[in-house]
């Protein structure tokens, strides 16, 4: 007779990891992509391309077939991801016919889990659906004062207009005043009110993240969160934008046009940092870099450092899964992960350059509130150095897959998250640095300049807020890039959903 005793924690962790890989890493078949692409009309295709502009930040595919194929290759098109896209364009018939899901199941999933598409993109498509052709024509005319004459043809859609405004830094997730003003001028107060509600919801999330599960904030996630930061190592052409965002002139940093804003008034409340140790610091080095200084830095800050070296991608996934399930997190106040690997802009593949790798967003998902409940409400810090291998140097190979039964409904295999007033994507700090892989061959065993600057900042100025230190780190990287050849430049991106001030020292 089969035992009905509950699984021991180790078995539960293994089962959850298998479920997680099955749901998030399986590639969508070409047959399904073809069926979806053939069934959509031109307006639906335009909407789908607009909704996913932030998801494929490194490139904008020219058509829906290539878009879905790119998302599949990047590990961003699981069954539930495709279900969300079909839901957004209201093709409930395709949900049922192709994915064997219904509208209610998708809505239930979206209510509890992070979304592929941002609130901002959804808002713009909803506004576009509610506008008459005459309204769009009036908006295009009014925008001539800001865009110049002839910038966009009169017969273009509202989404085309939004894309042009985004390119000029006139519209962004945190920058909707101009659109509000123009909607008021054409007497569409209903749509102006919709924008105001979106802005109020975003402010509510920033000031009180504990309301993250409310229905008014269904799309909260790390990629779209209202005060994500995305730094690039170069000067912004529009310095007025930098000044408006409150970045000091002395800091040589810029913000990508599509990035969300930096809050001008950071929260005064601090994260608790009193446990001894402060938490586990997992350092995984797949490249042979000299990370000894970084290990010493985090040890001096009060972390239990656990170094791992020369790992293949399956070893990295196994290690991360095991660490995410460690019961010690309950007694610690934070968690740190440092990963040094070969990879591409969206994934890491350890020491095996012929492996298409593990999606970086999959690493983050292992530590969300429902996957790692012992870290709910605690800061989870990721510092990733990815040495990018050009696509031309790699062989074709599929993303890591795990055998398992097909998932026909959203709820089929998902474990139930534990109740919590803190959103599952809260309290993440995600710093990603990319550099050319040739740096490894040129200087075997050398230290990443990014990690070297990070170690110096944390070691010397540990009593300052981490966000401030990272802005200054970005400035140092910019200075380095201004003198370095193209193949020796570093590119740093920062995203975070911190709700409080974070200082990495005992308080």
């Amino acid at each position: 007779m089969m035992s009905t005793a509950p699984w021991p924690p180790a078995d539960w962790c293994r089962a959850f990891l298998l479920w997680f890989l099955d749901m998030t890493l399986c590639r969508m078949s070409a047959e399904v992509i073809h069926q979806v692409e053939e069934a959509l009309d031109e307006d639906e295709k335009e909407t789908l391309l607009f909704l996913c502009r932030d998801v494929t930040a490194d490139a904008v595919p020219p058509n829906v077939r290539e878009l879905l194929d790119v998302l599949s290759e990047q590990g961003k098109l699981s069954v539930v991801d495709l279900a969300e896209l079909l839901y957004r364009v209201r093709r409930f018939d395709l949900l049922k016919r192709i994915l064997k899901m219904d509208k209610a199941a998708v809505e239930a999933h979206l209510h509890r889990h992070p979304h592929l598409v941002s609130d901002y993109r959804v808002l713009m498509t909803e506004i576009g659906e509610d506008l008459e052709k005459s309204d769009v024509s009036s908006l295009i005319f009014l925008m001539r004062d800001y865009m110049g004459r002839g910038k966009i043809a009169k017969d273009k859609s509202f989404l085309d207009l939004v894309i042009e405004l985004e390119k000029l830094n006139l519209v962004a997730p945190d920058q909707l005043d101009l659109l509000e003003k123009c909607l008021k001028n054409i007497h569409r107060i209903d749509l102006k009110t919709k924008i105001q509600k979106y802005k109020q919801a975003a402010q509510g999330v920033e000031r009180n993240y504990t309301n993250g599960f409310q229905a008014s904030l269904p799309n909260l996630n790390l990629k779209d969160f209202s005060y994500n930061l995305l730094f690039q190592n170069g000067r912004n052409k529009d310095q007025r934008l930098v000044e408006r965002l409150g970045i000091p002139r002395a800091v040589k940093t810029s913000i990508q046009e599509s990035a969300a804003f930096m809050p001008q008034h950071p929260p005064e409340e601090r994260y608790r940092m009193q446990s001894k140790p402060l938490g586990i610091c997992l350092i995984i080095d797949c490249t042979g870099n000299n990370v000894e200084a970084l290990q010493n830095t985090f040890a001096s800050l009060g972390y239990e450092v656990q170094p791992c070296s020369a790992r293949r991608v399956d070893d990295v996934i196994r290690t991360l899964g095991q660490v995410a399930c460690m019961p010690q997190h309950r007694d610690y106040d934070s968690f740190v992960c440092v990963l040094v690997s070969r990879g591409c802009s969206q994934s890491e593949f350890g020491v095996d350059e012929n492996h298409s790798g593990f999606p970086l967003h999959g690493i983050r998902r292992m530590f969300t509130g429902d996957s790692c409940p012992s870290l709910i409400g605690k800061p989870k810090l990721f510092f990733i150095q990815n040495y990018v291998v050009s696509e031309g140097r790699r062989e074709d190979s599929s993303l890591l897959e795990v055998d398992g039964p097909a998932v026909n409904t959203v709820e089929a295999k998902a474990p139930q998250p534990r109740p919590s007033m803190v959103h599952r994507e809260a309290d993440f700090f995600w710093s990603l640095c990319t550099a050319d892989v040739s740096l490894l061959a040129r200087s075997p065993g050398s230290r990443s300049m990014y990690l070297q600057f990070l170690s110096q900042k944390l070691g010397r100025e540990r009593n300052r807020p981490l966000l401030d230190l990272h802005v200054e780190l970005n400035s140092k990287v910019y200075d380095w890039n201004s003198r370095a050849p193209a193949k020796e430049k570093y590119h740093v991106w920062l995203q975070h959903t911190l709700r409080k001030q974070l200082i990495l020292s005992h308080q």
Side-chain angles (χ1 to χ4, degrees), residues 197-209:
K197 290 181 178 179
Y198 162 84
K199 291 164 70 174
Q200 290 169 359
Q203 291 174 356
V205 174
E206 179 182 336
R207 293 171 185 171
N208 187 3
Y209 205 102

Side-chain angles (χ1 to χ4, degrees), residues 93-112:
D93 58 323
L94 300 183
L95 278 176
K96 182 168 291 188
R97 176 163 60 87
I98 298 177
L99 301 183
K100 312 303 181 187
M101 300 181 185
D102 58 28
K103 177 183 175 183
V106 178
E107 288 176 343
H109 176 84
L110 294 177
H111 183 69
R112 291 196 299 270

Side-chain angles (χ1 to χ4, degrees), residues 246-392:
I247 299 176
R249 289 180 178 269
V251 177
K252 301 171 184 175
T253 189
S254 65
I255 294 185
Q256 184 176 349
E257 293 176 0
S258 63
F261 71 99
M262 179 188 297
Q264 297 181 8
H265 304 287
E268 295 181 357
E269 187 180 1
R270 287 188 184 184
Y271 284 100
R272 180 185 185 274
M273 298 292 280
Q274 297 177 357
S275 65
K276 294 184 179 181
L278 286 177
I280 293 169
C281 173
L282 176 65
I283 300 182
I284 304 177
D285 178 21
C286 305
T287 65
N289 256 248
N290 181 359
V291 293
E292 183 178 354
L294 201 59
Q295 294 177 25
N296 293 336
T297 296
F298 279 104
S300 69
L301 288 171
Y303 283 89
E304 177 187 322
V305 178
Q306 297 187 3
C308 302
S309 61
R311 299 281 186 160
R312 302 177 67 87
V313 65
D314 52 347
D315 293 324
V316 172
I317 297 170
R318 186 179 301 108
T319 298
L320 288 166
Q322 291 171 349
V323 171
C325 293
M326 291 179 67
Q328 294 96 312
H329 294 308
R330 290 194 301 266
D331 303 320
Y332 299 159
D333 287 337
S334 62
F335 169 73
V336 175
C337 176
V338 179
L339 174 62
V340 188
S341 175
R342 291 177 176 84
C344 63
S345 60
Q346 302 294 333
S347 64
E348 66 85 20
F349 42 83
V351 297
D352 187 358
E353 293 187 14
N354 294 325
H355 200 302
S356 61
F358 184 75
L360 292 176
H361 67 84
I363 295 174
R364 191 170 60 240
R365 286 185 183 179
M366 288 186 178
F367 293 88
T368 55
D370 49 0
S371 303
C372 185
S374 55
L375 283 174
I376 289 178
K378 303 173 183 180
K380 297 162 278 286
L381 318 179
F382 292 82
F383 301 96
I384 299 177
Q385 172 67 73
N386 226 10
Y387 289 97
V388 177
V389 178
S390 63
E391 294 298 323

Side-chain angles (χ1 to χ4, degrees), residues 125-244:
T125 57
E126 289 177 350
I127 290 176
E129 290 172 354
D130 291 337
L131 287 170
E132 302 291 340
K133 286 187 177 180
S134 58
D135 293 329
V136 176
S137 177
S138 297
L139 285 174
I140 291 175
F141 179 80
L142 289 172
M143 292 297 180
R144 289 167 62 182
D145 290 343
Y146 306 90
M147 301 173 60
R149 295 176 181 272
K151 185 68 177 177
I152 185 169
K154 295 180 180 179
D155 60 344
K156 292 296 183 179
S157 68
F158 173 72
L159 297 185
D160 291 326
L161 173 62
V162 172
I163 291 172
E164 291 300 323
L165 292 171
E166 288 175 342
K167 292 178 181 177
L168 297 171
N169 285 327
L170 295 173
V171 166
D174 63 300
Q175 194 173 341
L176 296 171
D177 292 347
L178 174 60
L179 184 56
E180 258 191 275
K181 176 183 176 182
C182 291
L183 287 172
K184 179 180 179 182
N185 287 338
I186 66 172
H187 308 293
R188 291 304 306 266
I189 305 301
D190 57 325
L191 300 182
K192 177 178 180 291
T193 301
K194 181 173 287 192
I195 291 179
Q196 289 175 334
K197 290 181 178 179
Y198 162 84
K199 291 164 70 174
Q200 290 169 359
Q203 291 174 356
V205 174
E206 179 182 336
R207 293 171 185 171
N208 187 3
Y209 205 102
T210 58
N211 292 330
F213 281 114
Q214 292 179 357
S216 61
L217 305 173
N219 287 346
L220 187 60
N221 63 48
L222 187 61
K223 291 182 291 187
D224 321 310
F225 192 58
S226 61
Y227 53 88
N228 286 354
L229 306 180
L230 176 52
F231 288 107
Q232 288 186 324
N233 309 122
R235 291 186 183 276
N236 197 312
K237 296 179 180 179
D238 188 351
Q239 290 299 327
R240 291 174 299 176
L241 176 64
V242 175
E243 294 169 1
R244 183 161 62 252

Side-chain angles (χ1 to χ4, degrees), residues 77-94:
L77 196 66
S78 64
V79 173
V80 292
D81 291 328
L82 181 58
E84 177 186 344
L85 294 178
L86 294 177
Y87 176 85
R88 296 301 184 192
V89 295
R90 307 182 192 282
R91 288 304 303 266
F92 310 124
D93 58 323
L94 300 183

Side-chain angles (χ1 to χ4, degrees), residues 473-491:
L473 178 151
N474 193 76
S475 180
K476 289 178 71 68
V477 172
Y478 172 82
D479 289 339
W480 167 270
N481 286 347
S482 66
R483 302 186 300 270
K487 288 287 189 178
E488 297 180 16
K489 295 182 185 293
Y490 292 80
H491 306 280

